[in-house]
């Protein structure tokens, strides 16, 4: 990573990064998947690979705020089913980063996100009843958890873009709003912290990137507070529509040149 590039940003570029950090906080406490916009902003201002290392500590700060806000609503059986597959996805993503260029990474993840959104919309339109998250203990549910877990681990490692994949899984599993936010909060705190050693080993995080993070983390807090205020004022259907829309927007952005 060319860390010197991190010190050559203009005032407008820093303002864009600050807005993206605020959006991270908002996405963690309101509309999961919206932080794919933050991913695109960071990649536009900073070198693409370097941007993933700078963004990761900002995401962890948002995860901590989300856990403090929704810690009572996490569904731990779902988390335990996901973690083994996610670990495999993180390892695969690390290997992928060793040889793939930015274009391949962006295109692959963009296609995955759009496919996930399409499948989720189709499944929700054809479902006759609400699902119970505990229903995913069935054989088909376990296969689905493993598939989404590997994709989530892979996408979060290569581009910090695992949020939409997990959002699609939690929606398809029938999670209501608070259960969705509480479960995803713990999921991403644990996964993102586990990615730090891999990112350091790949040279994506160092002292200079952390100094930039220190300047950006303060913008995560007002975003999280805004998200908490908003999520209490939207109903379940609108919440799901916003999550899916954010996923589609993020997928399209990753496919654009």
């Amino acid at each position: 990573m060319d860390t010197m590039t991190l010190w050559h940003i203009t005032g407008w570029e820093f303002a864009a990064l600050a807005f993206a950090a605020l959006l991270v906080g908002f996405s963690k406490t309101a509309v999961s998947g919206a932080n794919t916009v933050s991913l695109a902003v960071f990649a536009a201002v900073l070198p693409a690979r370097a941007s993933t290392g700078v963004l990761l500590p900002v995401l962890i700060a948002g995860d901590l705020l989300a856990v403090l806000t929704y810690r009572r609503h996490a569904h731990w059986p779902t988390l335990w089913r996901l973690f083994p597959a996610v670990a495999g996805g993180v390892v695969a993503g690390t290997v992928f980063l060793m040889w793939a260029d930015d274009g391949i990474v962006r295109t692959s993840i963009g296609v995955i996100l759009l496919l996930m959104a399409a499948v989720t919309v189709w499944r929700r339109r054809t479902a006759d009843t609400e699902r119970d998250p505990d229903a995913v203990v069935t054989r088909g549910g376990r296969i689905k958890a493993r598939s989404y877990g590997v994709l989530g681990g892979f996408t979060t490692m290569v581009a910090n873009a695992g949020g939409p994949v997990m959002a699609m899984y939690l929606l398809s599993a029938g999670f209501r709003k608070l259960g969705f936010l509480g479960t995803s909060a713990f999921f991403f705190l644990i996964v993102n912290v586990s990615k730090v050693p891999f990112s350091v080993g790949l040279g994506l995080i160092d002292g200079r990137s952390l100094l930039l993070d220190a300047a950006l983390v303060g913008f995560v807090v007002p975003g999280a507070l805004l998200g908490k205020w908003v999520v209490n004022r939207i109903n379940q259907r609108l919440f799901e529509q916003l999550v899916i829309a954010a996923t589609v927007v993020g997928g399209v952005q990753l496919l654009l040149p």
Side-chain angles (χ1 to χ4, degrees):
M1 178 173 69
D2 181 10
T3 54
M4 288 303 295
T5 305
L6 301 179
W7 303 105
H8 295 163
I9 60 177
T10 67
W12 284 109
E13 288 172 335
F14 181 81
L17 294 177
F19 172 76
L22 185 146
L23 192 57
V24 166
F26 178 82
S27 71
K28 294 295 184 179
T29 57
V31 182
S32 179
N35 63 2
T36 53
V37 178
S38 302
L39 184 156
V41 172
F42 270 71
V45 173
L46 304 171
R49 285 175 63 86
S51 70
T52 63
V54 176
L55 182 57
L56 181 56
V58 176
L59 292 173
I60 291 173
D63 294 327
L64 287 169
L65 292 171
V67 164
L68 290 173
T69 304
Y70 301 116
R71 61 189 179 278
R72 297 180 180 177
H73 303 284
H75 189 256
W76 283 97
T78 293
L79 292 171
W80 291 124
R81 283 192 290 272
L82 286 169
F83 282 141
V86 171
V90 169
V91 172
T94 302
V95 174
F96 185 65
L97 280 173
M98 292 179 179
W99 66 268
D101 61 28
D102 291 335
I104 294 175
V105 170
R106 290 172 61 87
T107 300
S108 300
I109 294 175
V111 170
I112 289 171
L113 296 185
L114 292 178
L115 286 175
M116 292 295 162
V119 169
T120 299
V121 170
W122 176 76
R123 295 185 71 147
R124 294 191 72 78
R125 286 184 175 178
T126 56
D128 295 325
T129 60
E130 282 189 11
R131 287 171 293 275
D132 182 343
D134 290 314
V136 295
V137 297
T138 64
R139 182 173 182 275
R142 288 194 296 269
I143 293 174
K144 182 172 72 172
R146 291 167 186 165
S147 300
Y148 276 88
V150 170
L151 284 175
F154 178 83
T155 54
T156 194
M157 186 64 222
V158 300
N160 293 314
V165 176
M166 285 299 100
M168 294 301 96
Y169 172 71
L170 294 177
L171 286 184
S172 70
F175 276 86
R176 305 297 289 173
K177 188 169 56 177
L178 293 180
F180 177 108
L181 291 168
T183 304
S184 62
F186 274 100
F187 175 85
F188 281 107
L189 176 61
I190 294 170
V191 170
N192 283 334
V193 169
S194 72
K195 286 161 49 183
V196 171
F198 294 95
S199 296
V200 172
L202 290 168
L204 301 177
I205 295 177
D206 63 10
R208 292 180 182 271
S209 68
L210 290 174
L211 284 175
L212 180 56
D213 286 319
L216 293 173
V217 163
F219 295 95
V220 178
V221 177
L225 294 175
L226 176 62
K228 183 180 179 181
W229 181 84
V230 168
V231 80
N232 291 326
R233 287 162 175 77
I234 58 178
N235 60 35
Q236 179 69 22
R237 182 174 180 82
L238 177 58
F239 173 79
E240 295 175 1
Q241 291 172 340
L242 289 173
V243 170
I244 294 172
T247 301
V248 172
V249 170
V252 171
Q253 286 181 329
L254 290 170
L255 292 176
L256 294 176

